[in-house]
Amino acid sequence: MKRLLLAVCVAFFLSWSGFAQTSTDDSPATKADVERYFQAVKSHDMMKKMMGSMTQSMHQMMHEQYLKHKDDLPADYESKMTAMMDDMFANMPMDEMMQAMVPAYQKLFTKGDMDNLVAFYSSPTGEKVLHELPAIMAESMRDVMPIMTKYMDTVKQTLLKKTEAMIAESKKQPNASAPAANN
């Protein structure tokens, strides 16, 4: 789930690249350019809001899982898992994550790209995008989580069936590593 969360965050930030094309400075983006962009898009605040949206969706998903399996789980399962998840998100090293993303931006974007992105997100339309994005993410996550859950259940069942088939097949075949019988 952590990898999924990180992938969503990275994809989210990289998806912002398709806006505004005015500067043509093709020199490589510097760390300062990328940090200026992060500041323009209020990336730290945006990540916090996205984490809040994801947390709500994950809480809902966890609640649904609890309801499915409550006979097999302790009574305090949901409250303990909620506290653990909240703690995980509260202690997520966002500043470190943002700094880890800087080289990818430097590799993929020029100084002109960064200038254009900053200009776009400083415009009224860009500011609207930034303002509305948390609501879009929350609504999207709410709508996507049931699909993801269903898909993951299908993947899990497929993997279990394939594993069982492989185990059954390997039991049918003679053990190649066993010593040959003396004649």
Side-chain angles (χ1 to χ4, degrees), residues 20-88:
Q21 292 289 326
T22 56
S23 177
T24 58
D25 186 343
D26 289 336
S27 62
T30 64
K31 182 178 180 183
D33 293 327
V34 176
E35 288 174 343
R36 186 172 47 93
Y37 163 74
F38 285 166
Q39 204 169 34
V41 298
K42 301 168 183 78
S43 60
H44 198 272
D45 293 340
M46 187 65 67
M47 280 187 76
K48 279 187 173 182
K49 288 175 184 177
M50 281 180 22
M51 296 297 171
S53 296
M54 288 181 195
T55 300
Q56 284 181 316
S57 296
M58 290 177 73
H59 281 220
Q60 180 63 33
M61 184 177 72
M62 187 173 45
H63 178 69
E64 290 167 8
Q65 290 297 314
Y66 172 72
L67 292 177
K68 281 185 188 177
H69 304 286
K70 68 181 174 184
D71 294 337
D72 299 327
L73 296 169
D76 63 348
Y77 169 83
E78 194 168 15
S79 63
K80 284 184 177 182
M81 293 302 288
T82 296
M84 185 177 76
M85 188 183 311
D86 290 346
D87 185 56
M88 178 186 78

Short mmCIF file of all heavy atoms in Angstrom, two decimals, residues 20-88:
data_model
loop_
_atom_site.label_atom_id
_atom_site.label_comp_id
_atom_site.label_asym_id
_atom_site.label_seq_id
_atom_site.Cartn_x
_atom_site.Cartn_y
_atom_site.Cartn_z
N ALA A 20 1.08 25.04 -20.09
CA ALA A 20 1.80 26.27 -20.44
C ALA A 20 3.15 26.05 -21.12
O ALA A 20 4.04 25.46 -20.56
CB ALA A 20 2.00 27.14 -19.21
N GLN A 21 3.27 26.56 -22.31
CA GLN A 21 4.52 26.49 -23.06
C GLN A 21 4.87 27.89 -23.55
O GLN A 21 4.39 28.31 -24.59
CB GLN A 21 4.37 25.53 -24.25
CG GLN A 21 4.20 24.08 -23.87
CD GLN A 21 5.47 23.48 -23.32
OE1 GLN A 21 6.58 23.83 -23.73
NE2 GLN A 21 5.33 22.59 -22.36
N THR A 22 5.69 28.61 -22.80
CA THR A 22 6.07 29.94 -23.27
C THR A 22 7.58 30.14 -23.26
O THR A 22 8.11 30.74 -24.17
CB THR A 22 5.39 31.06 -22.45
OG1 THR A 22 5.71 30.87 -21.08
CG2 THR A 22 3.90 31.09 -22.66
N SER A 23 8.28 29.68 -22.24
CA SER A 23 9.73 29.86 -22.18
C SER A 23 10.40 28.77 -23.01
O SER A 23 9.94 27.64 -23.07
CB SER A 23 10.20 29.78 -20.73
OG SER A 23 11.60 29.88 -20.68
N THR A 24 11.50 29.12 -23.65
CA THR A 24 12.21 28.16 -24.49
C THR A 24 13.63 27.91 -23.99
O THR A 24 14.46 27.41 -24.74
CB THR A 24 12.26 28.65 -25.95
OG1 THR A 24 12.89 29.94 -25.97
CG2 THR A 24 10.87 28.71 -26.55
N ASP A 25 13.92 28.25 -22.76
CA ASP A 25 15.25 28.02 -22.19
C ASP A 25 15.45 26.51 -22.02
O ASP A 25 14.85 25.88 -21.15
CB ASP A 25 15.37 28.74 -20.84
CG ASP A 25 16.79 28.67 -20.28
OD1 ASP A 25 17.58 27.81 -20.73
OD2 ASP A 25 17.09 29.46 -19.36
N ASP A 26 16.29 25.93 -22.87
CA ASP A 26 16.51 24.49 -22.85
C ASP A 26 17.64 24.04 -21.94
O ASP A 26 18.02 22.87 -21.96
CB ASP A 26 16.79 23.98 -24.28
CG ASP A 26 15.56 24.02 -25.16
OD1 ASP A 26 14.43 23.99 -24.61
OD2 ASP A 26 15.72 24.09 -26.39
N SER A 27 18.18 24.96 -21.14
CA SER A 27 19.22 24.55 -20.21
C SER A 27 18.60 23.66 -19.13
O SER A 27 17.39 23.75 -18.85
CB SER A 27 19.91 25.77 -19.60
OG SER A 27 18.99 26.54 -18.85
N PRO A 28 19.38 22.79 -18.54
CA PRO A 28 18.83 21.88 -17.53
C PRO A 28 18.24 22.63 -16.34
O PRO A 28 18.76 23.68 -15.93
CB PRO A 28 20.04 21.05 -17.09
CG PRO A 28 21.06 21.22 -18.18
CD PRO A 28 20.80 22.57 -18.78
N ALA A 29 17.18 22.09 -15.81
CA ALA A 29 16.59 22.68 -14.60
C ALA A 29 17.55 22.46 -13.43
O ALA A 29 18.17 21.41 -13.31
CB ALA A 29 15.25 22.02 -14.30
N THR A 30 17.65 23.48 -12.61
CA THR A 30 18.50 23.38 -11.42
C THR A 30 17.63 22.95 -10.23
O THR A 30 16.40 22.96 -10.31
CB THR A 30 19.14 24.74 -11.09
OG1 THR A 30 18.08 25.66 -10.75
CG2 THR A 30 19.95 25.27 -12.26
N LYS A 31 18.29 22.60 -9.16
CA LYS A 31 17.56 22.27 -7.93
C LYS A 31 16.71 23.46 -7.51
O LYS A 31 15.56 23.29 -7.09
CB LYS A 31 18.55 21.89 -6.82
CG LYS A 31 17.88 21.48 -5.53
CD LYS A 31 18.90 21.07 -4.47
CE LYS A 31 18.14 20.68 -3.20
NZ LYS A 31 19.03 20.35 -2.10
N ALA A 32 17.24 24.66 -7.63
CA ALA A 32 16.50 25.87 -7.27
C ALA A 32 15.25 26.03 -8.15
O ALA A 32 14.19 26.44 -7.65
CB ALA A 32 17.39 27.10 -7.37
N ASP A 33 15.36 25.70 -9.45
CA ASP A 33 14.20 25.78 -10.34
C ASP A 33 13.10 24.83 -9.87
O ASP A 33 11.92 25.20 -9.84
CB ASP A 33 14.59 25.40 -11.79
CG ASP A 33 15.53 26.40 -12.45
OD1 ASP A 33 15.43 27.61 -12.14
OD2 ASP A 33 16.36 25.96 -13.27
N VAL A 34 13.50 23.61 -9.56
CA VAL A 34 12.52 22.60 -9.12
C VAL A 34 11.90 23.01 -7.79
O VAL A 34 10.68 22.92 -7.61
CB VAL A 34 13.17 21.20 -9.02
CG1 VAL A 34 12.18 20.19 -8.48
CG2 VAL A 34 13.71 20.76 -10.39
N GLU A 35 12.71 23.52 -6.88
CA GLU A 35 12.18 23.96 -5.58
C GLU A 35 11.23 25.15 -5.76
O GLU A 35 10.22 25.25 -5.06
CB GLU A 35 13.32 24.27 -4.62
CG GLU A 35 14.02 22.99 -4.16
CD GLU A 35 15.26 23.22 -3.32
OE1 GLU A 35 15.81 24.36 -3.32
OE2 GLU A 35 15.70 22.26 -2.67
N ARG A 36 11.54 26.03 -6.70
CA ARG A 36 10.65 27.16 -7.01
C ARG A 36 9.31 26.64 -7.52
O ARG A 36 8.25 27.13 -7.16
CB ARG A 36 11.33 28.08 -8.03
CG ARG A 36 10.61 29.36 -8.35
CD ARG A 36 11.47 30.30 -9.22
NE ARG A 36 12.10 29.65 -10.34
CZ ARG A 36 11.57 29.59 -11.58
NH1 ARG A 36 10.43 30.18 -11.83
NH2 ARG A 36 12.21 28.98 -12.55
N TYR A 37 9.37 25.63 -8.36
CA TYR A 37 8.14 24.99 -8.86
C TYR A 37 7.36 24.36 -7.71
O TYR A 37 6.15 24.56 -7.59
CB TYR A 37 8.50 23.94 -9.92
CG TYR A 37 7.39 22.97 -10.21
CD1 TYR A 37 6.28 23.36 -10.96
CD2 TYR A 37 7.45 21.67 -9.73
CE1 TYR A 37 5.25 22.46 -11.21
CE2 TYR A 37 6.43 20.77 -9.98
CZ TYR A 37 5.33 21.17 -10.72
OH TYR A 37 4.31 20.29 -10.96
N PHE A 38 8.04 23.61 -6.86
CA PHE A 38 7.37 22.99 -5.71
C PHE A 38 6.69 24.04 -4.85
O PHE A 38 5.59 23.84 -4.35
CB PHE A 38 8.37 22.20 -4.84
CG PHE A 38 8.82 20.88 -5.42
CD1 PHE A 38 9.92 20.23 -4.90
CD2 PHE A 38 8.15 20.28 -6.48
CE1 PHE A 38 10.33 19.01 -5.40
CE2 PHE A 38 8.56 19.06 -7.00
CZ PHE A 38 9.66 18.42 -6.46
N GLN A 39 7.36 25.20 -4.70
CA GLN A 39 6.79 26.29 -3.92
C GLN A 39 5.56 26.86 -4.62
O GLN A 39 4.53 27.12 -3.99
CB GLN A 39 7.85 27.37 -3.71
CG GLN A 39 7.64 28.25 -2.53
CD GLN A 39 8.89 29.09 -2.27
OE1 GLN A 39 9.61 29.49 -3.19
NE2 GLN A 39 9.13 29.36 -1.01
N ALA A 40 5.63 27.02 -5.94
CA ALA A 40 4.51 27.59 -6.70
C ALA A 40 3.28 26.69 -6.62
O ALA A 40 2.15 27.19 -6.56
CB ALA A 40 4.91 27.80 -8.15
N VAL A 41 3.50 25.39 -6.63
CA VAL A 41 2.36 24.46 -6.59
C VAL A 41 1.99 24.08 -5.16
O VAL A 41 1.10 23.26 -4.96
CB VAL A 41 2.60 23.18 -7.44
CG1 VAL A 41 2.79 23.52 -8.90
CG2 VAL A 41 3.74 22.34 -6.90
N LYS A 42 2.67 24.73 -4.21
CA LYS A 42 2.39 24.46 -2.80
C LYS A 42 2.42 22.96 -2.54
O LYS A 42 1.51 22.38 -1.95
CB LYS A 42 1.05 25.06 -2.40
CG LYS A 42 0.96 26.56 -2.61
CD LYS A 42 -0.46 27.07 -2.49
CE LYS A 42 -0.56 28.54 -2.76
NZ LYS A 42 -0.54 28.89 -4.17
N SER A 43 3.50 22.33 -3.01
CA SER A 43 3.60 20.87 -3.00
C SER A 43 3.48 20.27 -1.61
O SER A 43 2.85 19.22 -1.44
CB SER A 43 4.89 20.42 -3.67
OG SER A 43 6.01 20.93 -2.98
N HIS A 44 4.07 20.91 -0.62
CA HIS A 44 4.00 20.35 0.74
C HIS A 44 2.56 20.33 1.23
O HIS A 44 2.07 19.31 1.74
CB HIS A 44 4.90 21.17 1.68
CG HIS A 44 5.23 20.45 2.94
ND1 HIS A 44 4.43 20.52 4.06
CD2 HIS A 44 6.27 19.64 3.25
CE1 HIS A 44 4.97 19.79 5.01
NE2 HIS A 44 6.08 19.24 4.55
N ASP A 45 1.87 21.45 1.06
CA ASP A 45 0.45 21.51 1.46
C ASP A 45 -0.39 20.55 0.63
O ASP A 45 -1.29 19.90 1.14
CB ASP A 45 -0.09 22.93 1.31
CG ASP A 45 0.53 23.91 2.27
OD1 ASP A 45 1.08 23.46 3.31
OD2 ASP A 45 0.48 25.12 2.00
N MET A 46 -0.09 20.49 -0.67
CA MET A 46 -0.83 19.61 -1.56
C MET A 46 -0.65 18.15 -1.14
O MET A 46 -1.62 17.38 -1.11
CB MET A 46 -0.37 19.81 -3.00
CG MET A 46 -1.18 19.07 -4.03
SD MET A 46 -2.89 19.62 -4.14
CE MET A 46 -2.67 21.26 -4.78
N MET A 47 0.58 17.78 -0.80
CA MET A 47 0.81 16.40 -0.36
C MET A 47 0.04 16.11 0.93
O MET A 47 -0.53 15.03 1.08
CB MET A 47 2.30 16.12 -0.17
CG MET A 47 3.00 15.85 -1.49
SD MET A 47 4.71 15.33 -1.29
CE MET A 47 4.49 13.63 -0.77
N LYS A 48 0.02 17.06 1.84
CA LYS A 48 -0.74 16.86 3.08
C LYS A 48 -2.22 16.66 2.79
O LYS A 48 -2.86 15.78 3.35
CB LYS A 48 -0.55 18.05 4.03
CG LYS A 48 0.71 18.01 4.83
CD LYS A 48 0.72 19.14 5.84
CE LYS A 48 1.91 19.00 6.76
NZ LYS A 48 1.94 20.03 7.78
N LYS A 49 -2.76 17.48 1.87
CA LYS A 49 -4.17 17.35 1.53
C LYS A 49 -4.43 16.02 0.83
O LYS A 49 -5.44 15.36 1.08
CB LYS A 49 -4.61 18.52 0.65
CG LYS A 49 -4.71 19.83 1.41
CD LYS A 49 -5.04 20.98 0.48
CE LYS A 49 -5.04 22.30 1.23
NZ LYS A 49 -5.28 23.44 0.33
N MET A 50 -3.53 15.63 -0.06
CA MET A 50 -3.68 14.35 -0.74
C MET A 50 -3.63 13.20 0.25
O MET A 50 -4.40 12.25 0.16
CB MET A 50 -2.59 14.17 -1.81
CG MET A 50 -2.87 14.91 -3.06
SD MET A 50 -1.60 14.74 -4.36
CE MET A 50 -0.76 13.25 -3.98
N MET A 51 -2.72 13.29 1.20
CA MET A 51 -2.61 12.25 2.23
C MET A 51 -3.91 12.18 3.03
O MET A 51 -4.39 11.09 3.35
CB MET A 51 -1.44 12.51 3.17
CG MET A 51 -0.09 12.46 2.53
SD MET A 51 0.31 10.87 1.87
CE MET A 51 1.79 11.26 1.01
N GLY A 52 -4.48 13.34 3.32
CA GLY A 52 -5.75 13.36 4.03
C GLY A 52 -6.86 12.69 3.24
O GLY A 52 -7.64 11.90 3.78
N SER A 53 -6.90 12.96 1.95
CA SER A 53 -7.89 12.32 1.08
C SER A 53 -7.67 10.82 1.00
O SER A 53 -8.62 10.03 1.09
CB SER A 53 -7.82 12.90 -0.33
OG SER A 53 -8.15 14.26 -0.31
N MET A 54 -6.43 10.42 0.86
CA MET A 54 -6.12 8.99 0.78
C MET A 54 -6.43 8.31 2.10
O MET A 54 -6.92 7.17 2.12
CB MET A 54 -4.66 8.79 0.40
CG MET A 54 -4.38 9.12 -1.02
SD MET A 54 -2.64 8.82 -1.35
CE MET A 54 -2.47 9.69 -2.88
N THR A 55 -6.16 9.00 3.19
CA THR A 55 -6.44 8.42 4.50
C THR A 55 -7.92 8.15 4.64
O THR A 55 -8.32 7.06 5.10
CB THR A 55 -5.96 9.37 5.62
OG1 THR A 55 -4.55 9.57 5.47
CG2 THR A 55 -6.23 8.80 6.99
N GLN A 56 -8.75 9.10 4.23
CA GLN A 56 -10.20 8.89 4.31
C GLN A 56 -10.62 7.68 3.49
O GLN A 56 -11.40 6.85 3.95
CB GLN A 56 -10.96 10.13 3.82
CG GLN A 56 -10.97 11.27 4.78
CD GLN A 56 -11.75 12.45 4.22
OE1 GLN A 56 -11.62 12.81 3.06
NE2 GLN A 56 -12.59 13.04 5.07
N SER A 57 -10.11 7.58 2.28
CA SER A 57 -10.45 6.45 1.42
C SER A 57 -9.96 5.14 2.01
O SER A 57 -10.67 4.13 1.99
CB SER A 57 -9.84 6.64 0.03
OG SER A 57 -10.38 7.76 -0.60
N MET A 58 -8.76 5.15 2.56
CA MET A 58 -8.22 3.93 3.15
C MET A 58 -8.99 3.55 4.41
O MET A 58 -9.20 2.36 4.67
CB MET A 58 -6.72 4.10 3.41
CG MET A 58 -5.94 4.14 2.10
SD MET A 58 -4.19 4.43 2.33
CE MET A 58 -3.68 2.85 2.97
N HIS A 59 -9.42 4.53 5.18
CA HIS A 59 -10.24 4.24 6.36
C HIS A 59 -11.54 3.56 5.93
O HIS A 59 -11.97 2.59 6.56
CB HIS A 59 -10.56 5.52 7.13
CG HIS A 59 -9.44 6.01 7.98
ND1 HIS A 59 -9.63 6.53 9.23
CD2 HIS A 59 -8.11 6.08 7.77
CE1 HIS A 59 -8.47 6.90 9.75
NE2 HIS A 59 -7.54 6.63 8.87
N GLN A 60 -12.14 4.08 4.88
CA GLN A 60 -13.38 3.49 4.38
C GLN A 60 -13.14 2.06 3.90
O GLN A 60 -13.91 1.15 4.21
CB GLN A 60 -13.97 4.34 3.24
CG GLN A 60 -15.26 3.79 2.67
CD GLN A 60 -16.40 3.75 3.69
OE1 GLN A 60 -16.48 4.60 4.58
NE2 GLN A 60 -17.25 2.76 3.58
N MET A 61 -12.07 1.85 3.16
CA MET A 61 -11.74 0.52 2.66
C MET A 61 -11.48 -0.43 3.83
O MET A 61 -11.95 -1.58 3.84
CB MET A 61 -10.52 0.58 1.75
CG MET A 61 -10.16 -0.75 1.12
SD MET A 61 -8.77 -0.63 -0.03
CE MET A 61 -7.42 -0.38 1.12
N MET A 62 -10.74 0.05 4.84
CA MET A 62 -10.45 -0.78 6.00
C MET A 62 -11.73 -1.12 6.75
O MET A 62 -11.91 -2.25 7.21
CB MET A 62 -9.46 -0.05 6.93
CG MET A 62 -8.99 -0.91 8.07
SD MET A 62 -7.69 -0.14 9.05
CE MET A 62 -8.29 1.50 9.25
N HIS A 63 -12.64 -0.17 6.87
CA HIS A 63 -13.91 -0.41 7.54
C HIS A 63 -14.70 -1.50 6.80
O HIS A 63 -15.26 -2.41 7.42
CB HIS A 63 -14.73 0.87 7.63
CG HIS A 63 -16.08 0.69 8.26
ND1 HIS A 63 -16.23 0.40 9.60
CD2 HIS A 63 -17.32 0.72 7.72
CE1 HIS A 63 -17.53 0.26 9.87
NE2 HIS A 63 -18.21 0.45 8.74
N GLU A 64 -14.71 -1.41 5.48
CA GLU A 64 -15.42 -2.41 4.68
C GLU A 64 -14.78 -3.79 4.86
O GLU A 64 -15.49 -4.80 4.98
CB GLU A 64 -15.44 -2.01 3.21
CG GLU A 64 -16.33 -0.82 2.94
CD GLU A 64 -16.14 -0.21 1.56
OE1 GLU A 64 -15.41 -0.80 0.72
OE2 GLU A 64 -16.73 0.87 1.32
N GLN A 65 -13.46 -3.85 4.90
CA GLN A 65 -12.77 -5.12 5.14
C GLN A 65 -13.08 -5.65 6.53
O GLN A 65 -13.28 -6.85 6.72
CB GLN A 65 -11.26 -4.96 4.96
CG GLN A 65 -10.83 -4.74 3.54
CD GLN A 65 -11.17 -5.92 2.65
OE1 GLN A 65 -10.93 -7.07 3.00
NE2 GLN A 65 -11.76 -5.64 1.50
N TYR A 66 -13.13 -4.76 7.49
CA TYR A 66 -13.47 -5.17 8.86
C TYR A 66 -14.87 -5.78 8.90
O TYR A 66 -15.08 -6.83 9.51
CB TYR A 66 -13.39 -3.98 9.82
CG TYR A 66 -13.92 -4.31 11.20
CD1 TYR A 66 -13.20 -5.13 12.05
CD2 TYR A 66 -15.15 -3.83 11.63
CE1 TYR A 66 -13.69 -5.47 13.31
CE2 TYR A 66 -15.65 -4.15 12.88
CZ TYR A 66 -14.91 -4.97 13.71
OH TYR A 66 -15.40 -5.32 14.94
N LEU A 67 -15.82 -5.14 8.23
CA LEU A 67 -17.18 -5.65 8.22
C LEU A 67 -17.24 -7.04 7.58
O LEU A 67 -18.00 -7.90 8.04
CB LEU A 67 -18.13 -4.69 7.50
CG LEU A 67 -18.37 -3.34 8.19
CD1 LEU A 67 -19.25 -2.45 7.34
CD2 LEU A 67 -18.96 -3.54 9.59
N LYS A 68 -16.42 -7.26 6.54
CA LYS A 68 -16.40 -8.56 5.88
C LYS A 68 -15.83 -9.66 6.79
O LYS A 68 -16.24 -10.80 6.70
CB LYS A 68 -15.53 -8.52 4.62
CG LYS A 68 -16.16 -7.90 3.42
CD LYS A 68 -15.19 -8.04 2.24
CE LYS A 68 -15.64 -7.28 1.03
NZ LYS A 68 -14.66 -7.37 -0.06
N HIS A 69 -14.87 -9.29 7.62
CA HIS A 69 -14.12 -10.28 8.40
C HIS A 69 -14.24 -10.09 9.91
O HIS A 69 -13.42 -10.62 10.66
CB HIS A 69 -12.63 -10.23 8.00
CG HIS A 69 -12.40 -10.44 6.55
ND1 HIS A 69 -12.52 -11.66 5.94
CD2 HIS A 69 -12.08 -9.55 5.57
CE1 HIS A 69 -12.27 -11.54 4.64
NE2 HIS A 69 -12.01 -10.27 4.39
N LYS A 70 -15.25 -9.35 10.36
CA LYS A 70 -15.31 -8.98 11.77
C LYS A 70 -15.41 -10.19 12.70
O LYS A 70 -14.96 -10.13 13.84
CB LYS A 70 -16.42 -7.98 12.04
CG LYS A 70 -17.82 -8.48 11.88
CD LYS A 70 -18.80 -7.36 12.17
CE LYS A 70 -20.21 -7.79 11.86
NZ LYS A 70 -21.13 -6.68 12.05
N ASP A 71 -15.96 -11.29 12.22
CA ASP A 71 -16.04 -12.49 13.07
C ASP A 71 -14.67 -13.09 13.35
O ASP A 71 -14.49 -13.80 14.34
CB ASP A 71 -16.95 -13.54 12.42
CG ASP A 71 -18.40 -13.08 12.34
OD1 ASP A 71 -18.79 -12.18 13.13
OD2 ASP A 71 -19.13 -13.61 11.47
N ASP A 72 -13.71 -12.81 12.47
CA ASP A 72 -12.36 -13.35 12.61
C ASP A 72 -11.37 -12.37 13.25
O ASP A 72 -10.22 -12.73 13.48
CB ASP A 72 -11.81 -13.75 11.24
CG ASP A 72 -12.66 -14.81 10.56
OD1 ASP A 72 -13.22 -15.67 11.27
OD2 ASP A 72 -12.78 -14.77 9.32
N LEU A 73 -11.83 -11.14 13.49
CA LEU A 73 -10.93 -10.10 13.99
C LEU A 73 -11.31 -9.68 15.41
O LEU A 73 -12.47 -9.77 15.79
CB LEU A 73 -11.00 -8.87 13.07
CG LEU A 73 -10.50 -9.09 11.64
CD1 LEU A 73 -10.88 -7.91 10.76
CD2 LEU A 73 -9.00 -9.31 11.62
N PRO A 74 -10.31 -9.21 16.17
CA PRO A 74 -10.64 -8.72 17.51
C PRO A 74 -11.52 -7.47 17.45
O PRO A 74 -11.50 -6.74 16.45
CB PRO A 74 -9.27 -8.39 18.11
CG PRO A 74 -8.30 -8.36 16.99
CD PRO A 74 -8.90 -9.12 15.85
N ALA A 75 -12.26 -7.23 18.50
CA ALA A 75 -13.22 -6.11 18.54
C ALA A 75 -12.53 -4.76 18.34
O ALA A 75 -13.11 -3.84 17.76
CB ALA A 75 -13.99 -6.13 19.85
N ASP A 76 -11.28 -4.62 18.80
CA ASP A 76 -10.58 -3.33 18.69
C ASP A 76 -9.73 -3.23 17.43
O ASP A 76 -8.94 -2.29 17.28
CB ASP A 76 -9.73 -3.09 19.93
CG ASP A 76 -8.63 -4.13 20.12
OD1 ASP A 76 -8.65 -5.18 19.42
OD2 ASP A 76 -7.75 -3.90 20.97
N TYR A 77 -9.88 -4.14 16.51
CA TYR A 77 -9.10 -4.15 15.27
C TYR A 77 -9.18 -2.82 14.54
O TYR A 77 -8.16 -2.22 14.19
CB TYR A 77 -9.56 -5.29 14.35
CG TYR A 77 -9.00 -5.20 12.96
CD1 TYR A 77 -7.73 -5.69 12.67
CD2 TYR A 77 -9.73 -4.61 11.92
CE1 TYR A 77 -7.21 -5.62 11.40
CE2 TYR A 77 -9.20 -4.52 10.64
CZ TYR A 77 -7.95 -5.02 10.38
OH TYR A 77 -7.43 -4.93 9.12
N GLU A 78 -10.39 -2.37 14.29
CA GLU A 78 -10.57 -1.16 13.49
C GLU A 78 -9.94 0.06 14.15
O GLU A 78 -9.25 0.85 13.50
CB GLU A 78 -12.06 -0.93 13.21
CG GLU A 78 -12.30 0.07 12.11
CD GLU A 78 -13.75 0.09 11.62
OE1 GLU A 78 -14.64 -0.47 12.29
OE2 GLU A 78 -13.96 0.68 10.57
N SER A 79 -10.14 0.22 15.45
CA SER A 79 -9.56 1.39 16.12
C SER A 79 -8.04 1.33 16.14
O SER A 79 -7.37 2.34 15.94
CB SER A 79 -10.12 1.53 17.54
OG SER A 79 -9.75 0.43 18.33
N LYS A 80 -7.49 0.14 16.33
CA LYS A 80 -6.02 0.00 16.32
C LYS A 80 -5.45 0.26 14.93
O LYS A 80 -4.44 0.95 14.79
CB LYS A 80 -5.61 -1.39 16.80
CG LYS A 80 -5.72 -1.57 18.29
CD LYS A 80 -5.21 -2.93 18.71
CE LYS A 80 -5.26 -3.07 20.22
NZ LYS A 80 -4.74 -4.36 20.66
N MET A 81 -6.09 -0.28 13.92
CA MET A 81 -5.61 -0.07 12.55
C MET A 81 -5.75 1.39 12.12
O MET A 81 -4.87 1.93 11.44
CB MET A 81 -6.35 -0.99 11.58
CG MET A 81 -6.05 -2.47 11.79
SD MET A 81 -4.30 -2.87 11.66
CE MET A 81 -4.06 -2.70 9.91
N THR A 82 -6.83 2.03 12.53
CA THR A 82 -7.03 3.44 12.22
C THR A 82 -5.93 4.28 12.86
O THR A 82 -5.34 5.15 12.21
CB THR A 82 -8.42 3.90 12.69
OG1 THR A 82 -9.41 3.18 11.95
CG2 THR A 82 -8.62 5.40 12.48
N ALA A 83 -5.64 4.01 14.12
CA ALA A 83 -4.58 4.75 14.81
C ALA A 83 -3.23 4.51 14.16
O ALA A 83 -2.44 5.45 13.98
CB ALA A 83 -4.54 4.34 16.28
N MET A 84 -2.96 3.27 13.78
CA MET A 84 -1.69 2.94 13.14
C MET A 84 -1.57 3.66 11.79
O MET A 84 -0.53 4.24 11.47
CB MET A 84 -1.57 1.44 12.94
CG MET A 84 -0.24 1.00 12.38
SD MET A 84 -0.10 -0.79 12.23
CE MET A 84 -1.09 -1.08 10.77
N MET A 85 -2.65 3.66 11.01
CA MET A 85 -2.63 4.31 9.71
C MET A 85 -2.46 5.82 9.86
O MET A 85 -1.68 6.45 9.15
CB MET A 85 -3.91 4.00 8.94
CG MET A 85 -3.89 4.48 7.52
SD MET A 85 -5.42 4.20 6.62
CE MET A 85 -5.78 2.51 6.97
N ASP A 86 -3.19 6.41 10.80
CA ASP A 86 -3.06 7.85 11.04
C ASP A 86 -1.64 8.22 11.43
O ASP A 86 -1.10 9.22 10.97
CB ASP A 86 -4.06 8.31 12.10
CG ASP A 86 -5.50 8.26 11.63
OD1 ASP A 86 -5.73 8.13 10.40
OD2 ASP A 86 -6.40 8.34 12.49
N ASP A 87 -1.04 7.39 12.28
CA ASP A 87 0.34 7.62 12.71
C ASP A 87 1.30 7.51 11.52
O ASP A 87 2.21 8.32 11.37
CB ASP A 87 0.72 6.62 13.80
CG ASP A 87 2.08 6.89 14.37
OD1 ASP A 87 2.32 8.03 14.85
OD2 ASP A 87 2.92 5.96 14.36
N MET A 88 1.06 6.51 10.68
CA MET A 88 1.91 6.32 9.51
C MET A 88 1.88 7.56 8.62
O MET A 88 2.92 8.06 8.19
CB MET A 88 1.45 5.10 8.71
CG MET A 88 2.25 4.85 7.45
SD MET A 88 1.60 3.50 6.45
CE MET A 88 0.21 4.31 5.65
#
